[in-house]
Amino acid sequence: MPIVATTLELLAEHGPLGPVWWRFGRSGRHSLIEALENPNNRAAYDLRQAAREDEEHKAHQELMDSLVCIDCGDVPEQESTWEYGRQGQVEWTRRPGGRCWPCHQDREERLEREAEEQLEAARTANAALYLDGLILPGGAARSGELPHEAAAHHLLAQTGLSRRLTHVLAVDYTPRPLPGAHQPRLRRWHRRRPPRRRPLRPRP
């Protein structure tokens, strides 16, 4: 049995035959005849289904518009796709403010080329500085960098070798004090000499 409802203000404004009736289970206002019609036939179901599909399509399109590529402006058809890269098949998920898969690959290749160019420039500069002889790679540590990390990054920058340091031969390292932190005084520890003993003299 259909259940309909309305308000006195709507009746006074549109009359009882106007679109002033709500039917429980439906959305919007209807006329009395439309509100009392049987909604369980196939035509009414198709209309409701089409309305739901339109809303889902609109929500999906709004999501895809938010995933536009920041480089080429491509609007995806799906949020996640399976792509083939260097490590095989990977799932690529678009993010707001992100890139499509081709632009992502182009950016990774460009960053690798720039890193190789910087490394080659560092090798050329080091070769120009030390043409007269060979020296061990080294240099100052960055802020907050540990000695073995500094040694590894100077080795990579000056020779192109990426190695994990396992044995320490010698360490000459002074940590930089933090601003406002108490810096302890350095003391020199040495082995104390034993006191000199006076020779025993025989008593008279």
Side-chain angles (χ1 to χ4, degrees):
M1 185 177 79
I3 301 176
V4 296
T6 187
T7 63
L8 295 177
E9 290 81 2
L10 290 175
L11 286 174
E13 181 179 358
H14 300 284
L17 299 180
V20 298
W21 300 96
W22 286 281
R23 174 165 176 166
F24 289 85
R26 292 189 191 179
S27 60
R29 296 194 312 237
H30 310 276
S31 64
L32 183 59
I33 297 177
E34 293 175 350
L36 296 178
E37 285 181 349
N38 183 16
N40 294 326
N41 54 27
R42 183 66 186 183
Y45 171 80
D46 292 340
L47 290 176
R48 294 194 300 270
Q49 184 65 20
R52 285 192 292 266
E53 292 177 356
D54 291 342
E55 292 179 359
E56 293 176 357
H57 178 73
K58 182 179 179 181
H60 177 76
Q61 191 61 38
E62 290 178 355
L63 175 61
M64 294 301 102
D65 292 340
S66 67
L67 302 179
V68 60
C69 178
I70 61 175
D71 288 345
C72 66
D74 174 68
V75 178
E77 296 181 359
Q78 298 178 2
E79 185 176 4
S80 298
T81 55
W82 289 95
E83 306 288 350
Y84 286 93
R86 298 179 180 178
Q87 305 299 329
Q89 191 179 24
V90 296
E91 184 178 8
W92 181 250
T93 302
R94 300 282 285 266
R95 296 285 185 266
R99 295 175 174 84
C100 61
W101 177 253
C103 292
H104 169 73
Q105 285 188 317
D106 294 342
R107 180 175 180 270
E108 292 294 325
E109 294 176 358
R110 184 177 70 253
L111 293 178
E112 290 182 2
R113 288 195 302 267
E114 292 177 356
E116 292 177 358
E117 292 174 358
Q118 293 177 0
L119 178 59
E120 188 63 27
R123 291 175 180 171
T124 304
N126 290 329
L129 290 175
Y130 308 113
L131 290 177
D132 296 337
L134 299 177
I135 65 170
L136 294 175
R142 300 168 182 167
S143 176
E145 192 175 38
L146 296 178
H148 69 280
E149 297 174 345
H153 99 254
H154 281 295
L155 179 66
L156 175 63
Q158 299 175 18
T159 65
L161 299 176
S162 177
R163 295 292 184 270
R164 183 173 60 90
L165 304 182
T166 57
H167 297 79
V168 177
L169 300 180
V171 175
D172 182 8
Y173 174 65
T174 302
R176 182 179 181 182
L178 297 176
H182 173 69
Q183 184 177 6
R185 297 178 58 185
L186 300 178
R187 298 181 179 180
R188 292 184 177 181
W189 299 90
H190 56 83
R191 187 175 180 182
R192 298 182 59 184
R193 297 180 179 178
R196 298 180 61 181
R197 297 182 179 180
R198 297 180 181 181
L200 298 179
R201 297 180 181 180
R203 293 182 179 178

